[in-house]
Amino acid sequence: MYRLLQHKKARSWALQSLVLLVSLGLTVSFVVIARENLLSQGIATGFGFLERSTGWPINFALIEVTDRSPYWRMLLAGLLNTLLVGLLGLTFATLFGVFVGLLRISSNLILNIIGTTYVEIFRNVPLILQAFFWYAVLTHLPSPRSAISIGEVIFVSNRGLILPALNFPLLDVLLLGLGAVAIVFGALQIKKHSSRAAPYVWPASAALLVLLFLLLLLTGRSPDSPLVTFPELRGLRFRDGFDIKPEFSALLIAITVFGAAYIGEIVRGGLLSVDRGRIEAGRALGLRNFRINQLIRIPLAVRAMLPALANQYVWLMKATTIGIAIGFPDYFMVVSTSINQSGQTIELLALLMLGFLLINYSIGFFMNRVNSRLEIKGKGPLVDG
Amino acid sequence: MPDAAIQLIGVSKFFGKYRALNKVNLEVAQGERVVVCGPSGSGKSTLIRCINRLEEHSAGRIFVEGTELTDDLKALDEVRREVGMVFQDFNLFPHMSILNNCALPLMRVRKSSRQEAETVALSQLERMKIAAQAGKYPDQLSGGQQQRVAIARALCMQPRIMLFDEPTSALDPEMVGEVLESMVDLANEGMTMICVTHEMGFARRAADRVVFMAEGEIVEEADSDTFFDHPKHAKTRAFLAQILYRRPAEA
Amino acid sequence: MAESALTAPAPDNSLAQWLKRRLFANWWDGLITVFFGAFVLWVLFKVVGWGFVDAVWSLENKDQCREAAGACWSVIEARGRLILFGLYPYEQHWRSTLACGAIVATMILSCLPWFWSLRRLPLLWVSGFGVFVILMYGGVFGLPLVTTEQWGGLALTVFIFAAVVVIGMPLSVALALARRSPLPVISKLAGGIIDIVRSLPLLTILFAAAVVVPFVVPDWAQGDKLGRVVLAFAVFFACYQAEIIRAGMQSIPPGQEEAAAALGMKYFYRVFDVLLPQAFRNTLPSTINQFVITFKETSIVTIIGFFEVMASGNAAVGTGNWTAQYVEVYVFVGAIYFLFVFGLSRYGDYLEKKVRLGVA
């Protein structure tokens, strides 16, 4: 036996078979025990429960959900919530983060100090603590009766930020947004490929966008409901406005502020990694500072930042799960409440994991596309110098 | 040859579809010094890396000190203890001192105590005339010094055969001499050596036999005088012309 | 040729010159300095005013808090113990303090290069962790028993962090080695586990450990909730750290392993004497960063229902008299985190500089 184990191929076969056996054994035992438990608790397996109504509401959703909505609709609302707060958070964090990064590498000492203080404070405190903090701040605002008002149409209270509402379903707003993005992309493509159509592209896109807006405006609404509704204080609460709940705002602010601290460092790293020789070449060619930034420093810095940025985006999306701590109904919270209420643990957990795997792969895929389009040809991974 | 140090019989090596070695036959006697040369891509590095199974040969048989190289891991351990290797890139362990570089393998492979291992290490470092650097770290030494340490490290295991894979190719010209000197001393002490190198002066001086390879095959082999003075094959002559033209001082 | 009358200009290294360059390089730079400088001073003035000058410090004066313009730090005196120790018995708080001190000492000792061998470092952490558990749990040496349900506050945070590190590091080495194995079954299995775990949020994994594991595992293997969650957290940590180690190993020239093999060193010695020490040195900054992130992420277990320092902070604010003092409490908890995390990051920077210079 010992002699046999000294044989390289025999050893590798034995080891691999052992590992396979143990893994299969564990999996099988998990399944068997799970089935026993499910049977003893009288819970049916399978995804049939998705058609059942939940019996509980959530306090924020992009699509129409009530406490009578079926599970699948509730889960979809949760997923959309995660995407909303995640994508908005990523965008704001990036914009803000660029600003912070520039502060950090500024030659001005005061700006430097501001940037460094910001980064050190908000990077070294856990995200969940920051979320709790902002939530506490927002819920300690005055009650609706004594709300802070801006021009009598916008109100800030501990129930949230209330704006005049466009009588435009939120889903339609999203469609409009997506439509606009699609039109812009289409316009850019047409501009690239056809020089004859080029001068007409932007006016045509603008016209198309207006058309889309009017279309959405006219359909899906009863003709005599008003276009804009203003918030009105009735009793203890505001009605009829577009209200942004503090749960959502607190999470968004926390993700933006925390994310900006990290993205600021990534931006700083990217800008610092641009080889001095390239900048000097630009100077030698007689380019002025603005041009050097535009043509050399920024493009190279962006390419250097992409891998770290992609990682950060994935991390920030996953971080939205802490919304449950402050009551924001993101995908995780909807799933965990569903598990509590329906007992369909395994199926729901699988859906949870699937949802996040999907989100991650989408971000990864998108960033990879951006990366390959921007990639410096012939050099493989983005290593400068 | 009954008690040859190394025997390669019909050895071929494929990397995917690419054939690096084509049915090579070679025998090296005890105490013999062989230099292997040839253009790049000729398979000379692959050849000696098969001898201590850093590459696994695809076909044929290899015997080292009578032990055949197969999938038998125990046999492989024995072979590697008897065969020492020196690399083009030195490959000293950067996180250990020079002394530890030499002593640690002894402690792990021959299970010596730290005392014994360090004694042997120091004596080998002496032999390579580099004992003064024993406390330093590899990054603090020059290339030539590092390579001499690498030789000493291989010698600590008291191998019966030494393999050299282009030991001076990565060195600055000023340092090539000191390493070659050490190798000549080793040769004169009767070590069985196979050396892949471009240093023809060394070959002329220290080698018993010179083997010329091209495209995975042995084209010509002869004792060193015959090889340099009366090369038979056209390819050999072409190669020598190139090499010797580039280094007129060596001719 | 006449002797040159020119002498080298005096170097302008003085503080005044440096300040001029950094603050008043040109006219709009000067403008920015003045404007933002004023802003920074105003913020400082407000913060110091709120936090120190106008603040109420002691518990007796807490009635003044309502009228005071500044911070009400009395809440710390009232609730500080709750935040630091959770529900740990009052008389035994000294044990909790000592236990945290043991872990802090372990972390400080880890900084000394003398401990940087693959034998001494694990030994140090295991003994530090062991001292922690003995002090906290008791039941021996005449120390009264305090079960894990009563562990809370900072001590629980530190416990989770140390446990995750002690379990997670060896696990990460195992996973990294498995991933680079030439045996396809093992490498694909390890790769699959690492990729899936890394793409999920930590909360999902901890939640699964707390809720799902009891479902699929027989009763005798379940352990207590804290143990399950710590184990899951350790697996999460291990998957991230395994990738860091893998990157470190990939940056080692292949000749290193070949040289070790040629010398006759077996797999175990090749990996532990030659490859791993280099991999860790190469990836020290990423590893320290991973530790820092882990310490911060211990706050997430508050969602699962554990009473670590974040939860105890919330409890201190939540009910009763102190709801208005949420800022003070959150600043206090934030400061605790900041202390640990900032210290660790600074040490990481220091190590990175030291390793880059090629010393040890």
Tab-separated table of all heavy atoms in Angstrom, chain A residues 12 16 30 33 37 107-109 112 120 123-124 126 128-129 132 136-137 140 262 318 349 352 357 360, chain C residues 22 29 33 183-185 198-199 204 212 215-216 218 240 296 299 310 314 323 326 338 341-342 346:
chain	number	residue	atom	x	y	z
A	12	SER	N	-2.263	10.710	-6.806
A	12	SER	CA	-3.172	11.775	-7.215
A	12	SER	C	-4.591	11.236	-7.377
A	12	SER	O	-5.558	11.897	-7.000
A	12	SER	CB	-2.671	12.445	-8.492
A	12	SER	OG	-3.163	11.798	-9.628
A	16	GLN	N	-7.775	12.581	-5.032
A	16	GLN	CA	-8.940	13.199	-5.669
A	16	GLN	C	-10.217	12.412	-5.387
A	16	GLN	O	-11.277	12.995	-5.155
A	16	GLN	CB	-8.721	13.328	-7.174
A	16	GLN	CG	-7.638	14.334	-7.486
A	16	GLN	CD	-7.504	14.570	-8.968
A	16	GLN	OE1	-8.192	15.416	-9.524
A	16	GLN	NE2	-6.623	13.834	-9.611
A	30	PHE	N	-26.526	16.631	3.784
A	30	PHE	CA	-27.254	17.897	3.932
A	30	PHE	C	-28.653	17.772	3.357
A	30	PHE	O	-29.647	18.152	3.972
A	30	PHE	CB	-26.534	19.037	3.199
A	30	PHE	CG	-25.289	19.500	3.883
A	30	PHE	CD1	-24.345	20.232	3.187
A	30	PHE	CD2	-25.049	19.212	5.208
A	30	PHE	CE1	-23.191	20.669	3.806
A	30	PHE	CE2	-23.901	19.629	5.844
A	30	PHE	CZ	-22.966	20.360	5.135
A	33	ILE	N	-30.969	15.454	5.516
A	33	ILE	CA	-31.396	16.057	6.776
A	33	ILE	C	-32.361	17.200	6.526
A	33	ILE	O	-33.357	17.372	7.243
A	33	ILE	CB	-30.180	16.558	7.574
A	33	ILE	CG1	-29.291	15.379	7.925
A	33	ILE	CG2	-30.617	17.285	8.822
A	33	ILE	CD1	-28.038	15.761	8.653
A	37	ASN	N	-36.191	17.622	8.006
A	37	ASN	CA	-36.637	18.791	8.759
A	37	ASN	C	-37.842	19.448	8.112
A	37	ASN	O	-38.786	19.862	8.771
A	37	ASN	CB	-35.499	19.800	8.899
A	37	ASN	CG	-34.537	19.399	9.994
A	37	ASN	OD1	-34.918	18.740	10.940
A	37	ASN	ND2	-33.287	19.788	9.848
A	107	SER	N	-1.716	70.382	-4.495
A	107	SER	CA	-0.468	70.924	-3.978
A	107	SER	C	-0.739	71.880	-2.822
A	107	SER	O	0.164	72.217	-2.067
A	107	SER	CB	0.290	71.662	-5.081
A	107	SER	OG	-0.496	72.732	-5.546
A	108	ASN	N	-1.991	72.291	-2.687
A	108	ASN	CA	-2.335	73.221	-1.610
A	108	ASN	C	-2.476	72.456	-0.307
A	108	ASN	O	-3.230	71.496	-0.212
A	108	ASN	CB	-3.642	73.929	-1.979
A	108	ASN	CG	-4.009	74.986	-0.975
A	108	ASN	OD1	-4.159	74.712	0.203
A	108	ASN	ND2	-4.132	76.207	-1.446
A	109	LEU	N	-1.769	72.922	0.709
A	109	LEU	CA	-1.725	72.183	1.965
A	109	LEU	C	-3.083	72.088	2.641
A	109	LEU	O	-3.459	71.044	3.179
A	109	LEU	CB	-0.721	72.862	2.912
A	109	LEU	CG	-0.392	72.102	4.191
A	109	LEU	CD1	0.278	70.790	3.846
A	109	LEU	CD2	0.516	72.926	5.073
A	112	ASN	N	-5.245	69.607	0.982
A	112	ASN	CA	-4.698	68.320	1.353
A	112	ASN	C	-5.193	67.854	2.703
A	112	ASN	O	-5.622	66.713	2.889
A	112	ASN	CB	-3.176	68.463	1.447
A	112	ASN	CG	-2.508	67.463	0.583
A	112	ASN	OD1	-2.808	66.291	0.666
A	112	ASN	ND2	-1.635	67.938	-0.279
A	120	GLU	N	-9.563	59.723	6.328
A	120	GLU	CA	-9.232	58.966	7.527
A	120	GLU	C	-10.449	58.776	8.419
A	120	GLU	O	-10.647	57.703	8.987
A	120	GLU	CB	-8.107	59.662	8.313
A	120	GLU	CG	-6.753	59.597	7.638
A	120	GLU	CD	-6.271	58.191	7.373
A	120	GLU	OE1	-6.701	57.249	8.071
A	120	GLU	OE2	-5.454	58.008	6.459
A	123	ARG	N	-13.088	56.359	6.434
A	123	ARG	CA	-12.660	55.019	6.064
A	123	ARG	C	-12.508	54.134	7.276
A	123	ARG	O	-12.633	52.922	7.202
A	123	ARG	CB	-11.316	55.092	5.333
A	123	ARG	CG	-11.413	54.732	3.900
A	123	ARG	CD	-10.132	54.462	3.250
A	123	ARG	NE	-8.934	54.833	3.909
A	123	ARG	CZ	-7.750	54.464	3.450
A	123	ARG	NH1	-7.672	53.725	2.370
A	123	ARG	NH2	-6.671	54.833	4.071
A	124	ASN	N	-12.190	54.726	8.405
A	124	ASN	CA	-11.831	53.920	9.561
A	124	ASN	C	-12.988	53.654	10.499
A	124	ASN	O	-12.805	53.099	11.567
A	124	ASN	CB	-10.693	54.608	10.334
A	124	ASN	CG	-9.408	54.583	9.532
A	124	ASN	OD1	-9.178	53.666	8.780
A	124	ASN	ND2	-8.609	55.609	9.683
A	126	PRO	N	-16.812	51.822	10.733
A	126	PRO	CA	-17.583	50.856	9.954
A	126	PRO	C	-18.786	51.498	9.257
A	126	PRO	O	-19.373	52.456	9.767
A	126	PRO	CB	-18.067	49.838	10.995
A	126	PRO	CG	-17.190	50.023	12.158
A	126	PRO	CD	-16.721	51.428	12.145
A	128	ILE	N	-21.757	50.397	8.863
A	128	ILE	CA	-23.035	50.256	9.537
A	128	ILE	C	-23.192	51.330	10.627
A	128	ILE	O	-24.284	51.854	10.838
A	128	ILE	CB	-23.189	48.824	10.100
A	128	ILE	CG1	-24.640	48.560	10.421
A	128	ILE	CG2	-22.337	48.599	11.323
A	128	ILE	CD1	-24.876	47.135	10.813
A	129	LEU	N	-22.087	51.675	11.247
A	129	LEU	CA	-22.147	52.741	12.244
A	129	LEU	C	-22.521	54.052	11.570
A	129	LEU	O	-23.323	54.833	12.079
A	129	LEU	CB	-20.788	52.857	12.952
A	129	LEU	CG	-20.593	54.002	13.947
A	129	LEU	CD1	-21.639	53.959	15.024
A	129	LEU	CD2	-19.219	53.923	14.579
A	132	PHE	N	-26.236	53.999	10.832
A	132	PHE	CA	-27.005	54.296	12.042
A	132	PHE	C	-26.963	55.781	12.362
A	132	PHE	O	-27.964	56.378	12.736
A	132	PHE	CB	-26.459	53.517	13.242
A	132	PHE	CG	-26.962	52.120	13.339
A	132	PHE	CD1	-26.084	51.053	13.408
A	132	PHE	CD2	-28.316	51.858	13.363
A	132	PHE	CE1	-26.538	49.752	13.495
A	132	PHE	CE2	-28.787	50.557	13.453
A	132	PHE	CZ	-27.900	49.514	13.518
A	136	ALA	N	-30.055	58.264	12.485
A	136	ALA	CA	-30.419	58.969	13.712
A	136	ALA	C	-30.547	60.461	13.440
A	136	ALA	O	-31.486	61.114	13.920
A	136	ALA	CB	-29.381	58.692	14.796
A	137	VAL	N	-29.614	61.017	12.667
A	137	VAL	CA	-29.682	62.440	12.344
A	137	VAL	C	-30.990	62.767	11.629
A	137	VAL	O	-31.696	63.706	11.988
A	137	VAL	CB	-28.482	62.849	11.460
A	137	VAL	CG1	-28.714	64.223	10.839
A	137	VAL	CG2	-27.213	62.862	12.276
A	140	HIS	N	-34.068	62.601	13.754
A	140	HIS	CA	-34.171	63.593	14.812
A	140	HIS	C	-34.540	64.963	14.271
A	140	HIS	O	-34.519	65.950	14.995
A	140	HIS	CB	-32.863	63.671	15.610
A	140	HIS	CG	-32.792	62.647	16.691
A	140	HIS	ND1	-32.425	61.340	16.449
A	140	HIS	CD2	-33.061	62.720	18.004
A	140	HIS	CE1	-32.459	60.653	17.581
A	140	HIS	NE2	-32.849	61.474	18.539
A	262	TYR	N	-13.163	55.718	-0.048
A	262	TYR	CA	-12.373	54.678	-0.700
A	262	TYR	C	-12.048	55.027	-2.142
A	262	TYR	O	-10.928	54.850	-2.614
A	262	TYR	CB	-13.114	53.340	-0.654
A	262	TYR	CG	-12.821	52.566	0.598
A	262	TYR	CD1	-13.641	52.668	1.709
A	262	TYR	CD2	-11.698	51.754	0.679
A	262	TYR	CE1	-13.365	51.971	2.862
A	262	TYR	CE2	-11.410	51.061	1.826
A	262	TYR	CZ	-12.237	51.173	2.926
A	262	TYR	OH	-11.961	50.492	4.063
A	318	LYS	N	-22.589	45.041	-2.543
A	318	LYS	CA	-22.856	44.067	-1.494
A	318	LYS	C	-23.123	44.769	-0.172
A	318	LYS	O	-23.867	44.272	0.668
A	318	LYS	CB	-21.673	43.104	-1.353
A	318	LYS	CG	-21.539	42.192	-2.550
A	318	LYS	CD	-20.622	41.041	-2.277
A	318	LYS	CE	-19.186	41.497	-2.260
A	318	LYS	NZ	-18.294	40.373	-1.955
A	349	LEU	N	-33.043	31.247	0.269
A	349	LEU	CA	-31.606	31.498	0.330
A	349	LEU	C	-30.980	31.338	-1.045
A	349	LEU	O	-30.107	32.110	-1.441
A	349	LEU	CB	-30.949	30.542	1.322
A	349	LEU	CG	-29.729	31.167	1.986
A	349	LEU	CD1	-30.169	32.191	2.996
A	349	LEU	CD2	-28.858	30.128	2.614
A	352	LEU	N	-31.660	34.365	-2.908
A	352	LEU	CA	-30.802	35.451	-2.423
A	352	LEU	C	-29.430	35.371	-3.070
A	352	LEU	O	-28.912	36.350	-3.617
A	352	LEU	CB	-30.677	35.369	-0.897
A	352	LEU	CG	-29.774	36.404	-0.243
A	352	LEU	CD1	-30.350	37.785	-0.401
A	352	LEU	CD2	-29.581	36.083	1.225
A	357	LEU	N	-25.262	36.946	-7.048
A	357	LEU	CA	-24.340	36.482	-8.079
A	357	LEU	C	-24.624	37.206	-9.388
A	357	LEU	O	-23.712	37.622	-10.104
A	357	LEU	CB	-24.486	34.966	-8.275
A	357	LEU	CG	-23.839	34.123	-7.193
A	357	LEU	CD1	-24.194	32.663	-7.353
A	357	LEU	CD2	-22.328	34.279	-7.236
A	360	ASN	N	-23.345	40.782	-9.177
A	360	ASN	CA	-21.888	40.811	-9.286
A	360	ASN	C	-21.402	40.571	-10.688
A	360	ASN	O	-20.514	41.250	-11.191
A	360	ASN	CB	-21.274	39.729	-8.393
A	360	ASN	CG	-21.164	40.212	-6.987
A	360	ASN	OD1	-21.214	41.395	-6.750
A	360	ASN	ND2	-21.002	39.303	-6.071
C	22	ARG	N	3.528	75.484	-0.443
C	22	ARG	CA	2.327	74.660	-0.313
C	22	ARG	C	1.064	75.485	-0.158
C	22	ARG	O	-0.026	74.993	-0.354
C	22	ARG	CB	2.445	73.732	0.895
C	22	ARG	CG	3.536	72.706	0.843
C	22	ARG	CD	3.414	71.795	-0.356
C	22	ARG	NE	2.172	71.053	-0.406
C	22	ARG	CZ	1.910	69.940	0.280
C	22	ARG	NH1	2.794	69.460	1.112
C	22	ARG	NH2	0.757	69.325	0.145
C	29	ASP	N	-3.989	80.184	-5.615
C	29	ASP	CA	-3.666	79.232	-4.558
C	29	ASP	C	-3.815	79.911	-3.197
C	29	ASP	O	-4.369	79.366	-2.254
C	29	ASP	CB	-2.233	78.724	-4.750
C	29	ASP	CG	-2.009	77.398	-4.041
C	29	ASP	OD1	-2.912	76.556	-4.062
C	29	ASP	OD2	-0.926	77.233	-3.449
C	33	THR	N	-6.285	79.076	-0.092
C	33	THR	CA	-5.772	78.884	1.260
C	33	THR	C	-6.549	79.726	2.253
C	33	THR	O	-6.992	79.240	3.289
C	33	THR	CB	-4.282	79.254	1.319
C	33	THR	OG1	-3.569	78.423	0.426
C	33	THR	CG2	-3.748	79.090	2.719
C	183	LEU	N	-3.898	18.840	-9.074
C	183	LEU	CA	-4.983	17.868	-9.172
C	183	LEU	C	-6.290	18.609	-9.461
C	183	LEU	O	-6.745	19.388	-8.640
C	183	LEU	CB	-5.111	17.094	-7.850
C	183	LEU	CG	-3.827	16.426	-7.359
C	183	LEU	CD1	-4.055	15.743	-6.027
C	183	LEU	CD2	-3.312	15.445	-8.378
C	184	PRO	N	-6.914	18.353	-10.612
C	184	PRO	CA	-8.066	19.171	-11.039
C	184	PRO	C	-9.249	19.147	-10.075
C	184	PRO	O	-9.879	20.171	-9.853
C	184	PRO	CB	-8.452	18.578	-12.396
C	184	PRO	CG	-7.703	17.323	-12.530
C	184	PRO	CD	-6.542	17.366	-11.637
C	185	VAL	N	-9.560	17.987	-9.482
C	185	VAL	CA	-10.713	17.938	-8.576
C	185	VAL	C	-10.528	18.917	-7.430
C	185	VAL	O	-11.399	19.708	-7.095
C	185	VAL	CB	-10.917	16.507	-8.033
C	185	VAL	CG1	-11.840	16.535	-6.833
C	185	VAL	CG2	-11.481	15.607	-9.102
C	198	ARG	N	-16.750	34.677	-2.252
C	198	ARG	CA	-16.327	36.057	-2.438
C	198	ARG	C	-17.357	36.910	-3.158
C	198	ARG	O	-17.325	38.128	-3.078
C	198	ARG	CB	-15.017	36.102	-3.215
C	198	ARG	CG	-13.796	36.124	-2.328
C	198	ARG	CD	-12.572	35.769	-3.114
C	198	ARG	NE	-12.502	36.555	-4.322
C	198	ARG	CZ	-11.737	37.625	-4.469
C	198	ARG	NH1	-10.965	38.015	-3.476
C	198	ARG	NH2	-11.729	38.287	-5.597
C	199	SER	N	-18.268	36.279	-3.908
C	199	SER	CA	-19.225	37.111	-4.628
C	199	SER	C	-20.469	37.386	-3.799
C	199	SER	O	-21.352	38.107	-4.244
C	199	SER	CB	-19.604	36.468	-5.954
C	199	SER	OG	-20.152	35.204	-5.718
C	204	THR	N	-25.042	37.882	4.063
C	204	THR	CA	-25.721	36.695	3.540
C	204	THR	C	-25.122	35.431	4.134
C	204	THR	O	-25.824	34.512	4.549
C	204	THR	CB	-25.563	36.626	2.015
C	204	THR	OG1	-25.759	37.907	1.480
C	204	THR	CG2	-26.528	35.653	1.418
C	212	VAL	N	-29.646	28.822	8.286
C	212	VAL	CA	-29.781	27.665	7.403
C	212	VAL	C	-29.054	26.448	7.947
C	212	VAL	O	-29.525	25.326	7.814
C	212	VAL	CB	-29.240	27.994	5.995
C	212	VAL	CG1	-29.305	26.768	5.120
C	212	VAL	CG2	-30.045	29.111	5.407
C	215	PHE	N	-30.604	23.767	9.805
C	215	PHE	CA	-31.557	23.052	8.977
C	215	PHE	C	-30.954	21.824	8.334
C	215	PHE	O	-31.621	20.838	8.099
C	215	PHE	CB	-32.005	24.024	7.863
C	215	PHE	CG	-33.455	23.953	7.577
C	215	PHE	CD1	-34.367	24.322	8.544
C	215	PHE	CD2	-33.906	23.518	6.358
C	215	PHE	CE1	-35.713	24.273	8.281
C	215	PHE	CE2	-35.253	23.463	6.084
C	215	PHE	CZ	-36.159	23.841	7.042
C	216	VAL	N	-29.664	21.941	7.968
C	216	VAL	CA	-29.071	20.879	7.165
C	216	VAL	C	-28.071	20.038	7.928
C	216	VAL	O	-27.414	19.183	7.360
C	216	VAL	CB	-28.365	21.451	5.905
C	216	VAL	CG1	-29.370	22.082	4.989
C	216	VAL	CG2	-27.302	22.424	6.304
C	218	PRO	N	-27.204	17.682	11.453
C	218	PRO	CA	-27.859	16.963	12.564
C	218	PRO	C	-27.682	17.707	13.878
C	218	PRO	O	-26.745	18.481	14.048
C	218	PRO	CB	-27.140	15.607	12.592
C	218	PRO	CG	-25.886	15.820	11.848
C	218	PRO	CD	-26.146	16.873	10.830
C	240	TYR	N	-11.093	35.418	1.053
C	240	TYR	CA	-10.425	36.631	0.608
C	240	TYR	C	-8.916	36.525	0.807
C	240	TYR	O	-8.131	36.877	-0.068
C	240	TYR	CB	-10.970	37.853	1.356
C	240	TYR	CG	-12.212	38.421	0.721
C	240	TYR	CD1	-13.453	37.892	1.013
C	240	TYR	CD2	-12.131	39.458	-0.196
C	240	TYR	CE1	-14.588	38.385	0.416
C	240	TYR	CE2	-13.269	39.964	-0.792
C	240	TYR	CZ	-14.500	39.426	-0.487
C	240	TYR	OH	-15.622	39.917	-1.096
C	296	LYS	N	-13.552	46.017	11.113
C	296	LYS	CA	-14.719	46.861	10.894
C	296	LYS	C	-15.967	46.025	10.647
C	296	LYS	O	-17.058	46.363	11.076
C	296	LYS	CB	-14.492	47.791	9.703
C	296	LYS	CG	-13.564	48.944	10.020
C	296	LYS	CD	-13.554	49.963	8.918
C	296	LYS	CE	-12.880	49.414	7.680
C	296	LYS	NZ	-12.868	50.409	6.593
C	299	SER	N	-18.849	44.617	13.021
C	299	SER	CA	-20.045	45.367	13.386
C	299	SER	C	-21.291	44.784	12.732
C	299	SER	O	-22.394	45.018	13.189
C	299	SER	CB	-19.879	46.825	12.977
C	299	SER	OG	-19.525	46.907	11.621
C	310	MET	N	-21.264	47.605	18.561
C	310	MET	CA	-22.211	48.422	17.798
C	310	MET	C	-23.606	48.310	18.404
C	310	MET	O	-24.312	49.286	18.599
C	310	MET	CB	-22.224	47.925	16.346
C	310	MET	CG	-23.139	48.702	15.440
C	310	MET	SD	-22.528	50.311	15.017
C	310	MET	CE	-23.642	51.353	15.871
C	314	ASN	N	-26.025	51.055	20.304
C	314	ASN	CA	-27.427	51.315	19.995
C	314	ASN	C	-28.302	51.154	21.216
C	314	ASN	O	-29.245	51.908	21.431
C	314	ASN	CB	-27.914	50.367	18.896
C	314	ASN	CG	-27.669	50.940	17.523
C	314	ASN	OD1	-27.626	52.154	17.364
C	314	ASN	ND2	-27.503	50.075	16.549
C	323	THR	N	-31.931	59.192	24.493
C	323	THR	CA	-32.144	59.135	23.045
C	323	THR	C	-31.606	60.356	22.321
C	323	THR	O	-31.220	60.276	21.168
C	323	THR	CB	-33.638	59.026	22.689
C	323	THR	OG1	-34.369	59.847	23.597
C	323	THR	CG2	-34.114	57.612	22.764
C	326	TYR	N	-27.546	60.677	20.810
C	326	TYR	CA	-27.050	59.663	19.887
C	326	TYR	C	-25.695	60.059	19.303
C	326	TYR	O	-24.838	59.225	19.054
C	326	TYR	CB	-28.065	59.387	18.780
C	326	TYR	CG	-28.346	60.564	17.881
C	326	TYR	CD1	-27.601	60.776	16.721
C	326	TYR	CD2	-29.359	61.466	18.171
C	326	TYR	CE1	-27.853	61.847	15.897
C	326	TYR	CE2	-29.611	62.539	17.348
C	326	TYR	CZ	-28.856	62.728	16.212
C	326	TYR	OH	-29.113	63.788	15.398
C	338	PHE	N	-12.097	53.593	15.519
C	338	PHE	CA	-11.048	54.385	14.881
C	338	PHE	C	-9.693	54.064	15.486
C	338	PHE	O	-8.698	53.916	14.764
C	338	PHE	CB	-11.370	55.871	15.051
C	338	PHE	CG	-10.490	56.770	14.251
C	338	PHE	CD1	-10.782	57.053	12.940
C	338	PHE	CD2	-9.343	57.323	14.809
C	338	PHE	CE1	-9.972	57.879	12.186
C	338	PHE	CE2	-8.519	58.143	14.070
C	338	PHE	CZ	-8.841	58.424	12.753
C	341	VAL	N	-8.595	50.577	14.220
C	341	VAL	CA	-8.425	50.504	12.775
C	341	VAL	C	-7.298	51.419	12.300
C	341	VAL	O	-6.461	51.033	11.485
C	341	VAL	CB	-9.756	50.866	12.082
C	341	VAL	CG1	-9.565	51.059	10.609
C	341	VAL	CG2	-10.773	49.789	12.354
C	342	PHE	N	-7.277	52.636	12.830
C	342	PHE	CA	-6.242	53.573	12.422
C	342	PHE	C	-4.876	53.039	12.811
C	342	PHE	O	-3.914	53.102	12.024
C	342	PHE	CB	-6.499	54.934	13.077
C	342	PHE	CG	-5.635	56.031	12.564
C	342	PHE	CD1	-5.827	56.547	11.304
C	342	PHE	CD2	-4.610	56.553	13.347
C	342	PHE	CE1	-5.031	57.573	10.823
C	342	PHE	CE2	-3.812	57.561	12.873
C	342	PHE	CZ	-4.018	58.071	11.612
C	346	ARG	N	-1.929	52.278	10.103
C	346	ARG	CA	-0.630	52.966	10.173
C	346	ARG	C	0.483	51.947	10.234
C	346	ARG	O	1.528	52.088	9.589
C	346	ARG	CB	-0.562	53.861	11.412
C	346	ARG	CG	-1.224	55.194	11.262
C	346	ARG	CD	-0.556	56.077	10.223
C	346	ARG	NE	-1.538	56.798	9.468
C	346	ARG	CZ	-1.950	56.462	8.246
C	346	ARG	NH1	-1.431	55.440	7.619
C	346	ARG	NH2	-2.871	57.156	7.656
